[in-house]
Amino acid sequence: EQQAAFARSLCLFRKGRAQNFLDQDHSDQIVAWYRAFEDVEDRAKVATLDEIKKLFVHARTFGEDLRASAELCRGMIAASLFYEPSTRTRLSFESAMLRLGGGVITAADMRNLSASKGESLADTARVVSGAYADIVVLRHSSEGAARLAAQYSSVPVINAGDGAHEHPTQTLCDLYNLWLERGRIEGLDVVLAGDLRYSRTIHSFAYALARFGANVVCVPAPGFEMPDYVLQRLREEFGVEPQRADTKSLGELASQSDAVYLTPQKPHQLSLFTDARGFAVARVDALYMTRPQTERHPNGAQLDSYVQIGRRQLAVEPLRDAVVMHPLPRRDELSEDLDSDPRAIFITM
Ligand code: CP
């Protein structure tokens, strides 16, 4: 149980801002919260919204002194298995474990692991979890890799991104930062923009926002619309029906896009947004931009219409007070003229 509790804590430690639960009598309550936004089969293992909000409060406290918990994981080891490139996710997990007083084992180049000799992920998970590590943090290019590894691992496995599927710990950080900025998540209006098809951070974030009762406007780059399987889960699990959105008010950001509005609210509650043309976007709390996930694109994917966001595009009325978020790394989709803009929180989040 202690190991599992530690695993759950580590997810938020990835940004160096979490609280550990080992000494706080929380371990029974926080059941498998690190899977809060994945499609876990056992719904009883999903953290409640209250539990997640408690985590945010603890995370904020932890952020006040990153060096205060250096004894909590002494003697514990995290295996950092990153089969895909990463800066933030990998280094933040490794930094988190070191800040807790534990150690990290990894391979500088995953091509040097036995996978290159044909070892299956299942066998790697068995071997690493057998005696080497107390927790595994896995990034992999295949959808479902973390779930598979968890089935064969004897220690907790954290999904640090599996293909185009999900990135739940990024979502915890995104939610946490949104909560810090706005003081709540319920009822916020959030625009998800860019490559909605292949961006795993978008998928996890959309489920989480739906769970919290936020409204989402999807503004995909042409050809990179939200996948049907994500929309289906939003519909079946959260009762969210996609509606056509009128995004004229968003100007250049949405000029090429077939935008849809995802809201947990019933139509009669939408008087502020509804007009004859569909759901008009009046005010946005957060704009979450994503890069084109070119490593997952089929050959010949067109990026000509991929929008670039800068101060000019944010000058329209609904975006005037929106915080600008991005899971990073960015390419050209976020202009550098935003770097000094107080609305841009993407570097520090
Ligand atoms: N947000 C994110 O996953 O970034 P990295 O690919 O750099 O880890």
Side-chain angles (χ1 to χ4, degrees), residues 2 8 62 71 114 124 134 164 221 231 233 275 281 314 320:
Q2 284 226 330
R8 294 159 198 153
F62 180 80
E71 294 298 319
S114 290
T124 302
D134 302 291
L231 294 176
R233 185 174 160 207
D275 68 13
V281 181
L314 291 183
R320 203 155 285 218

Side-chain angles (χ1 to χ4, degrees), residues 86-89 139 167 170 327-329:
S86 169
T87 302
R88 285 208 326 170
T89 308
R139 167 166 293 190
H167 197 338
Q170 178 66 47
L328 300 180

Side-chain angles (χ1 to χ4, degrees), residues 14-15 82 84-92 139 160-161 167 169-170 174 200-201 288 291 295-296 326-329:
R14 59 170 295 220
K15 295 299 177 198
F82 277 67
E84 277 193 337
S86 169
T87 302
R88 285 208 326 170
T89 308
R90 180 174 187 157
L91 297 186
S92 59
R139 167 166 293 190
H167 197 338
T169 65
Q170 178 66 47
D174 295 336
R200 54 196 172 203
T201 65
Y288 190 90
R291 71 177 169 91
E295 68 272 39
R296 294 179 228 295
H326 192 299
L328 300 180

Side-chain angles (χ1 to χ4, degrees), residues 16 22 46 75 88 90 117 159 162 217 248 286 291 296 310 328:
L22 297 181
V46 174
R88 285 208 326 170
R90 180 174 187 157
K117 295 184 278 187
N159 182 2
D162 61 330
V217 185
K248 278 193 199 66
R291 71 177 169 91
R296 294 179 228 295
L328 300 180

Side-chain angles (χ1 to χ4, degrees), residues 15 17 88 177 181 328 344-349:
K15 295 299 177 198
R17 286 173 171 167
R88 285 208 326 170
N177 280 283
E181 288 292 326
L328 300 180
I345 62 169
F346 49 84
I347 294 292
T348 53
M349 61 185 253

Side-chain angles (χ1 to χ4, degrees), residues 204-340:
S204 294
F205 201 27
Y207 298 139
L209 290 169
R211 254 194 101 191
F212 270 93
N215 305 305
V216 171
V217 185
C218 296
V219 181
F224 298 99
E225 290 76 17
M226 195 75 106
D228 286 342
Y229 78 87
V230 176
L231 294 176
Q232 185 179 337
R233 185 174 160 207
L234 287 167
R235 189 182 289 119
E236 289 174 358
E237 208 166 306
F238 305 106
V240 170
E241 276 298 331
Q243 314 277 347
R244 190 173 60 84
D246 178 351
T247 47
K248 278 193 199 66
S249 59
L250 295 180
E252 235 177 289
L253 169 67
S255 62
Q256 310 246 23
S257 160
D258 282 332
V260 295
Y261 192 52
L262 304 171
T263 175
Q265 299 182 68
K266 301 282 175 278
H268 69 268
Q269 295 173 297
L270 289 168
S271 53
L272 280 175
F273 297 99
T274 311
D275 68 13
R277 296 161 298 173
F279 296 101
V281 181
R283 186 181 168 279
V284 173
D285 293 292
L287 166 60
Y288 190 90
M289 190 67 195
T290 51
R291 71 177 169 91
Q293 304 276 309
T294 45
E295 68 272 39
R296 294 179 228 295
H297 289 175
N299 287 339
Q302 290 297 317
L303 295 176
D304 302 347
S305 309
Y306 214 95
V307 71
Q308 190 188 51
I309 307 293
R311 283 178 191 255
R312 196 185 73 218
Q313 288 77 13
L314 291 183
V316 293
E317 188 57 35
L319 295 174
R320 203 155 285 218
D321 297 321
V323 291
V324 182
M325 306 171 75
H326 192 299
L328 300 180
R330 73 169 146 171
R331 289 173 32 158
D332 299 328
E333 66 281 353
L334 279 185
S335 165
E336 287 184 8
D337 76 1
L338 277 179
D339 290 9
S340 56

